[in-house]
Amino acid sequence: MTSTISRLALAAFALSASILSAQPAFAAVACGSGSFDAWLADFKTDAAAKGISQQAITAGLAGVTLDQSVLNRDKSQKVFTQTFEEFSGRMVPPRMQRGSNMMKQYGSVLSRIEQAYGVPGEVLVAIWGLETDFGVNTGKFATIRSLATLAYDCRRAEQFRAELMDALRIVQRGDLAPAEMKGAWAGELGQTQFMPSSWLKYAVDFDGNGKRDLLHNAPDVLASTANYLAGYGWQKGKDWQPGSPNFAVLQQWNKSEVYSKTVAYFATQLARAP
C-alpha cells in the first residue's frame, strides 16, 4: 500500500501473485447458500477433512463473521486507467530517497539474497516500496475474516476458499497467530503482500530465527520475494527491462504492465543512485 494509491486500489487491475487470474467456480459447499454461519460450519468440516488440525481451525475461525466492507470493496473496483508515466511519476520520486537508504541499510542482506536467489536488491527494494512503502502500510483488515467473506461470496468462491485453507495452514505451521494476520482487504499479507498460497510456497526464514515472518522481518520479506521471483524463472545477471525474460517474471508478480514497468523503472533508478 501507499499513501496515495494504496495496494487496495491496485487490486482494481491486478492483485499480487495473480489473484485475479482464476475464474468463478462453485465451492464444494455452495457459495452464498444459506447463512454465513452455516457455510462456515460446513467449511470447518471440509478443512478438517483436508487435514487441517482442529486447533488451527478453532484458532483461525472462532468468531469469524462476514465483513460487508470487504464485499463492498470487491464489487466496487474500478478499471485502472493511469498511464505508466502518470503512475510511475506519482509513485517513484517520493520513494527514491527511502529506497536508496534501504539499499544501504540492508546491503549485506541483499547481497546474500542475490547470491542465493539471483535477484538483485534493487528489484526487491522497488517491489517493497511500491507494495507497502517499505513495510509501513501493510493493511489492517483481518485476513482470515476477509478470505472467509470472499470465499462465501460467489464471485470468486473457489479461489478464495483455497486461500482460506492455506491461511489456516499458515496458522497450523506456526508462522503466524490468527490475530497477527492483518493485511489488505483481499487477503494479501506482509510487507510485499503475499497471498496465503504464495506464503506457503515461497516464504523463507532467511535470518534463521526459526520463523517465516513476512510481517515484521525485513530479511525474511526480501528473501521470500526473491524466492517467489526465482520460482517463476528469474534469470541471474540479466536485466529486467520490458521485453526481457525477467520482465515477464515481474508480470507474474503483478499482471499489470503499468505496475511491472514501474517496478523495473524504480529498480533501474535505485541501481543508478549514488
Side-chain angles (χ1 to χ4, degrees):
M1 267 179 278
T2 66
S3 56
T4 54
I5 296 183
S6 72
R7 172 65 177 162
L8 308 184
L10 291 171
F13 63 100
L15 293 175
S16 133
S18 69
I19 190 166
L20 290 183
S21 61
Q23 295 300 312
F26 287 109
V29 176
C31 61
S33 59
S35 71
F36 177 78
D37 287 345
W39 175 89
L40 189 63
D42 283 337
F43 179 87
K44 291 176 182 178
T45 300
D46 191 25
K50 286 180 166 59
I52 298 173
S53 71
Q54 195 58 53
Q55 182 179 4
I57 293 169
T58 300
L61 297 175
V64 168
T65 57
L66 187 78
D67 189 339
Q68 186 61 47
S69 70
V70 167
L71 294 179
N72 293 343
R73 285 172 182 265
D74 189 45
K75 289 176 171 61
S76 66
Q77 293 183 64
K78 297 177 181 178
V79 175
F80 186 83
T81 58
Q82 288 188 71
T83 65
F84 162 70
E85 289 76 18
E86 291 168 337
F87 185 65
S88 62
R90 192 170 182 176
M91 299 294 284
V92 174
R95 293 165 179 80
M96 268 303 302
Q97 186 60 56
R98 183 92 191 278
S100 183
N101 291 342
M102 289 299 187
M103 290 290 299
K104 294 169 185 159
Q105 181 177 345
Y106 292 100
S108 62
V109 170
L110 291 168
S111 178
R112 288 190 291 114
I113 290 172
E114 184 169 4
Q115 289 175 1
Y117 301 102
V119 183
E122 294 89 349
V123 172
L124 303 176
V125 171
I127 289 172
W128 192 20
L130 292 176
E131 292 289 353
T132 65
D133 276 336
F134 311 101
V136 173
N137 300 310
T138 57
K140 297 181 180 179
F141 284 83
T143 299
I144 289 177
R145 186 186 186 197
S146 291
L147 292 171
T149 296
L150 292 166
Y152 172 72
D153 187 55
C154 285
R155 197 163 86 84
R156 290 172 285 164
E158 192 68 17
Q159 176 185 352
F160 283 104
R161 186 182 185 87
E163 294 292 347
L164 180 56
M165 290 285 184
D166 282 341
L168 295 180
R169 292 183 179 105
I170 290 172
V171 173
Q172 178 170 283
R173 193 166 73 173
D175 289 5
L176 293 173
E180 295 178 280
M181 298 173 78
K182 293 185 184 299
W185 65 264
E188 303 98 326
L189 274 166
Q191 295 188 26
T192 53
Q193 301 285 268
F194 274 37
M195 291 302 293
S197 57
S198 295
W199 183 303
L200 281 179
K201 190 170 184 179
Y202 297 110
V204 296
D205 171 22
F206 196 71
D207 67 353
N209 70 351
K211 187 176 182 181
R212 304 167 190 84
D213 184 357
L214 310 191
L215 288 175
H216 314 102
N217 187 307
D220 287 2
V221 168
L222 296 166
S224 299
T225 305
N227 190 33
Y228 181 101
L229 296 174
Y232 278 95
W234 187 274
Q235 296 183 19
K236 185 175 183 177
K238 302 293 180 66
D239 73 32
W240 51 77
Q241 298 307 314
S244 70
N246 284 340
F247 183 77
V249 175
L250 291 178
Q251 290 187 290
Q252 293 298 320
W253 179 269
N254 192 307
K255 299 295 185 186
S256 163
E257 184 172 358
V258 168
Y259 189 91
S260 298
K261 285 177 70 174
T262 300
V263 171
Y265 171 71
F266 193 1
T268 299
Q269 295 301 107
L270 288 171
R272 294 172 179 168

